[in-house]
Amino acid sequence: MSGTAIDERGAQAPLDASADLSEVRDWIALLKPRVMTLVVFTAIVGLVVAPAPMHPVLGVAAILCIAVAAGAAGAINMWYDRDIDALMRRTQRRPIPSGRIEPGAALGFGLTLSFASVAVMGLATNWVAAGWLAFSIFFYVAIYTMWLKRRTPQNIVIGGAAGAFPPVIGWAAATGDVSLVPLILFAIVFMWTPPHFWALSLWAHGDYARAKVPMLPVTHGAKETRRQVMLYTLALVPVTLAPWLVGFSGPAYAAVAALLGGLFLRHAWRVLREPQDDAGRSLANDAAARGCFKYSLTYLFALFGALALDRLLLA
């Protein structure tokens, strides 16, 4: 919306609407919306496949709370990591290191959204879901961001649990409890995270080295990282079949999970066998790692979508 303002000479000057929009975009960027998309989707699947029906309005409220909580954790993460974000090419244009948002304002924004999302979740659904939501924020901020990320190459393995909570929270919002199936969904995302993120770190290792973040390619080299991508993908595929093995899903889901897993293994194999030097550094511009990373995103969306569709057809 356009308007006018009084300039230093007392004359009316048009307001810059584009500047207002840019500021709004910066606050949205603090919430890490691209990461939020996957968080929201897995939470929706956890809610949809739960055995207890949920009123649509309450279901939407629960998903919004999960989305806001994920964004709040992202904002606090950006506040804490502003020093290393300024050193990495892919993050140095974020709102805080670029000076467009003050660190204190970002922290206040994140904390306010954190408390609000947990409170609304408890009031709209149940306090079991709210408790899991609060713990997921705490885990991402305190355990992963503040403790693990700068101290150990296992940061993404242990810290990956933070991104695995949404389907558990979605299930808890619908049922008021947590049973075997949501824990299986948690395990799927937990096992998916290392090959997904280490594929990214193979071609972004220079950023992590500059920021002195002990990601696996920095501490153990690219060759070992390629091996770990393969090993974790091998471990992931059987876990994705667990919903069928425990009788929660049907053979259609199992077939899709096996097919998607086979494609993931093919990508992991390409990462392992990509042309490389003796240290494992790519001689092909990390084409295999980039392809594996992109496929891993499609993979998780497709896998959880197949589970939801399978449950809806069985209902």
Side-chain angles (χ1 to χ4, degrees):
M1 181 175 179
S2 62
T4 59
I6 305 300
D7 66 15
E8 60 184 5
R9 296 170 298 178
Q12 286 191 330
L15 293 174
D16 189 350
S18 63
D20 292 340
L21 290 174
S22 295
E23 185 176 357
V24 171
R25 284 195 291 267
D26 287 336
W27 287 104
I28 292 174
L30 276 181
L31 304 178
K32 296 188 175 182
R34 286 186 296 179
V35 175
M36 189 190 298
T37 302
L38 192 55
V39 166
V40 168
F41 183 73
T42 57
I44 290 173
V45 172
L47 189 150
V48 167
V49 303
M54 193 173 189
H55 192 284
V57 173
L58 296 180
V60 170
I63 296 303
L64 285 175
C65 287
I66 294 170
V68 171
I76 300 173
N77 167 272
M78 285 199 194
W79 163 78
Y80 189 81
D81 279 350
R82 61 191 185 277
D83 56 335
I84 60 176
D85 280 351
L87 300 174
M88 298 194 290
R89 291 192 183 97
R90 68 186 187 87
T91 58
Q92 61 189 194
R93 293 302 301 161
R94 283 176 172 175
I96 301 176
S98 63
R100 300 193 304 276
I101 291 179
E102 290 295 322
L107 176 61
F109 183 58
L111 290 174
T112 300
L113 292 182
S114 296
F115 286 113
S117 62
V118 172
V120 173
M121 176 69 88
L123 294 170
T125 62
N126 59 76
W127 292 101
V128 173
W132 279 98
L133 187 63
F135 184 69
S136 70
I137 297 170
F138 168 80
F139 196 97
Y140 184 73
V141 171
I143 304 300
Y144 170 66
T145 301
M146 296 182 179
W147 180 32
L148 296 171
K149 185 173 180 177
R150 306 188 191 207
R151 287 175 171 82
T152 171
Q154 292 299 306
N155 48 19
I156 204 62
V157 178
I158 305 169
F165 285 119
V168 177
I169 301 166
W171 179 288
T175 65
D177 63 20
V178 173
S179 57
L180 176 62
V181 172
L183 294 179
I184 290 174
L185 301 183
F186 174 94
I188 290 172
V189 182
F190 182 80
M191 295 300 296
W192 164 87
T193 302
H196 161 73
F197 206 92
W198 282 334
L200 165 72
S201 68
L202 277 169
W203 49 271
H205 69 278
D207 271 351
Y208 293 119
R210 276 190 297 277
K212 298 181 180 177
V213 177
M215 288 297 175
L216 195 63
V218 177
T219 60
H220 289 69
K223 189 177 289 293
E224 177 61 18
T225 304
R226 294 176 188 278
R227 193 175 74 90
Q228 291 296 323
V229 168
M230 188 73 220
L231 290 175
Y232 268 90
T233 307
L234 282 168
L236 167 66
V237 174
V239 176
T240 65
L241 296 175
W244 171 63
L245 293 174
V246 301
F248 182 75
S249 64
Y253 164 77
V256 172
L259 174 62
L260 292 171
L263 293 173
F264 204 164
L265 285 169
R266 186 176 70 172
H267 277 281
W269 178 255
R270 287 175 176 172
V271 171
L272 183 67
R273 304 303 299 172
E274 184 175 34
Q276 57 196 267
D277 62 18
D278 292 340
R281 291 184 293 266
S282 175
L283 300 176
N285 196 31
D286 287 303
R290 293 173 191 271
C292 186
F293 174 75
K294 290 178 181 177
Y295 175 75
S296 69
L297 293 169
T298 303
Y299 170 84
L300 199 64
F301 274 111
L303 185 74
F304 271 70
L307 179 63
L309 184 60
D310 182 86
R311 288 296 298 172
L312 291 173
L313 292 176
L314 289 177

